[in-house]
Amino acid sequence: MHKLILRSLLGACAALAIGPAAHAAETVKLIVPFSAGGPTDQIARIIAPGLSDALGKNVIVDNRGGAGGVIGDALAAKAPADGNTLLLTTSSLVITAGTTPNLPYNPRTAFDPIYLLGKVQTMLAVRPSLGVNTLAELVAKAKATPKGLNYGSTGVGGTMQIGAELFRHAAHVPLVHIPYRGAAPALVALMGGQVDLVNADVPVLLPYIKQGRIKGLVIYDTKRSSLLPDIPDAVEAGMPGLQMSNWYGVLAPAGTPAATRKKIEDALAKVVHQPDVAAKLAAAGFTDPMGAAPFKAMLASDFDRWLPWLKKMGIHTN
């Protein structure tokens, strides 16, 4: 009897020892290379519950912000390629490749693209008191301002700066860069008259445009935004070179087994088409989700387009 009790106790202890380890193996870490509360973090928390159900694993959002996404990207790049660490990042992956020297990973080869959750259109907007109503009027205003108009951004190498510099280059106008510690203070400065214009994602600017606190001038795309259908696209505005979107995608460390990648890809495709998730992504301006193969091709095209342009423009973090 005593031996039977002892064997039972030992079995219980073994179960307790194995239990946590087994549970840990069933956890997927979804690294977000930006701070909690930001757009990327919000998207991660929209898809995490559904992804957890689809994979049968506990998906945990792990915010690792800093250095324009480099800290989180580097952490994901060095993680084991076993499918239990994923990266939800944005166009910043491409931008930092062209603006940040001596990265601790190779952005082109460090990751396997899994699924593109969607693209978000960006747009150029101005303070209403600037007195311009079209892109042509903004160009004329900028050329008539000796020291150039001011634009706000999240800092050197951020997508807000890239969007404004794209306009400066296409329109051949003088602009002065005023960096801030995030999109929110840059928008406050725009509404307060400290800067004249910004480029940002359509959903970020949408509420302020509807309130009349910011005036939208042009969508950086060949088509208008469904969220702001009255604002012309770049072709209509007479500057077709203004083409830029911010994408949000899930990647895995390079070398993750193909079968594992396919399972995660299928799970994400299932999640983004769930009615509640699809509605939230649509409200956030997301369009054109795509699987691993087209996402990989798009990413390669982005590297080929933006890296030479960033080098030509001399935009770098240090």
Side-chain angles (χ1 to χ4, degrees), residues 169-180:
H169 179 69
H172 305 287
V173 295
L175 294 178
V176 178
H177 181 205
I178 309 295
Y180 291 88

Side-chain angles (χ1 to χ4, degrees), residues 171-198:
H172 305 287
V173 295
L175 294 178
V176 178
H177 181 205
I178 309 295
Y180 291 88
R181 292 180 177 272
L187 294 180
V188 169
L190 180 66
M191 290 182 281
Q194 284 79 48
V195 297
D196 301 309
L197 59 99
V198 299

Side-chain angles (χ1 to χ4, degrees), residues 79-120:
D82 56 8
N84 289 326
T85 299
L86 301 173
L87 174 69
L88 199 171
T89 191
T90 71
S91 303
S92 65
L93 179 70
V94 176
I95 300 303
T96 55
T99 60
T100 307
N102 303 317
L103 286 171
Y105 56 92
N106 184 334
R108 281 185 179 267
T109 61
F111 304 101
D112 289 328
I114 302 294
Y115 197 84
L116 185 76
L117 301 175
K119 300 176 183 177
V120 177

Side-chain angles (χ1 to χ4, degrees), residues 18-73:
I18 294 171
H23 183 267
E26 295 301 312
T27 296
V28 173
K29 185 185 296 183
L30 183 60
I31 294 177
V32 173
F34 303 103
S35 60
T40 313
D41 174 68
Q42 292 174 23
I43 297 304
R45 296 180 191 280
I46 287 173
I47 68 166
L51 183 58
S52 180
D53 292 340
L55 292 176
K57 297 183 178 183
N58 187 27
V59 176
I60 297 174
V61 178
D62 185 11
N63 296 96
R64 297 299 183 102
V70 170
I71 291 175
D73 290 349

Side-chain angles (χ1 to χ4, degrees), residues 7-296:
R7 284 199 297 271
S8 298
L9 288 172
L10 290 173
C13 290
L16 287 172
I18 294 171
H23 183 267
E26 295 301 312
T27 296
V28 173
K29 185 185 296 183
L30 183 60
I31 294 177
V32 173
F34 303 103
S35 60
T40 313
D41 174 68
Q42 292 174 23
I43 297 304
R45 296 180 191 280
I46 287 173
I47 68 166
L51 183 58
S52 180
D53 292 340
L55 292 176
K57 297 183 178 183
N58 187 27
V59 176
I60 297 174
V61 178
D62 185 11
N63 296 96
R64 297 299 183 102
V70 170
I71 291 175
D73 290 349
L75 184 66
K78 297 175 183 178
D82 56 8
N84 289 326
T85 299
L86 301 173
L87 174 69
L88 199 171
T89 191
T90 71
S91 303
S92 65
L93 179 70
V94 176
I95 300 303
T96 55
T99 60
T100 307
N102 303 317
L103 286 171
Y105 56 92
N106 184 334
R108 281 185 179 267
T109 61
F111 304 101
D112 289 328
I114 302 294
Y115 197 84
L116 185 76
L117 301 175
K119 300 176 183 177
V120 177
Q121 291 173 310
T122 71
M123 66 181 299
L124 195 69
V126 299
R127 56 181 174 88
S129 57
L130 190 62
V132 300
N133 296 300
T134 67
L135 189 63
E137 290 179 3
L138 177 62
V139 172
K141 183 80 170 182
K143 290 182 176 180
T145 305
K147 293 184 179 180
L149 298 177
N150 298 326
Y151 72 87
S153 86
T154 54
V156 175
T159 54
M160 289 180 75
Q161 186 202 17
I162 302 307
E165 287 295 318
L166 194 61
F167 165 66
R168 182 182 70 81
H169 179 69
H172 305 287
V173 295
L175 294 178
V176 178
H177 181 205
I178 309 295
Y180 291 88
R181 292 180 177 272
L187 294 180
V188 169
L190 180 66
M191 290 182 281
Q194 284 79 48
V195 297
D196 301 309
L197 59 99
V198 299
N199 170 274
D201 292 355
V202 169
V204 172
L205 297 173
L206 178 63
Y208 305 108
I209 291 174
K210 288 188 172 182
Q211 294 166 11
R213 304 174 69 187
I214 291 175
K215 181 181 291 292
L217 292 187
V218 60
I219 304 294
Y220 277 38
D221 203 343
T222 57
K223 59 184 178 182
R224 296 192 180 201
S225 167
S226 61
L227 300 178
L228 290 167
D230 294 334
I231 297 178
D233 61 48
V235 176
E236 294 171 321
M239 204 169 290
L242 296 181
Q243 301 295 321
M244 176 181 174
S245 63
N246 193 13
W247 56 257
Y248 293 72
V250 177
L251 304 96
T256 299
T260 301
R261 300 199 310 269
K262 178 60 175 172
K263 182 178 180 180
I264 299 169
E265 178 186 356
D266 291 345
L268 285 165
K270 179 180 178 181
V271 171
V272 300
H273 289 99
Q274 292 174 349
D276 59 331
V277 174
K280 291 176 181 177
L281 293 179
F286 276 52
T287 63
D288 306 321
M290 62 181 70
F295 181 19
K296 182 177 181 179

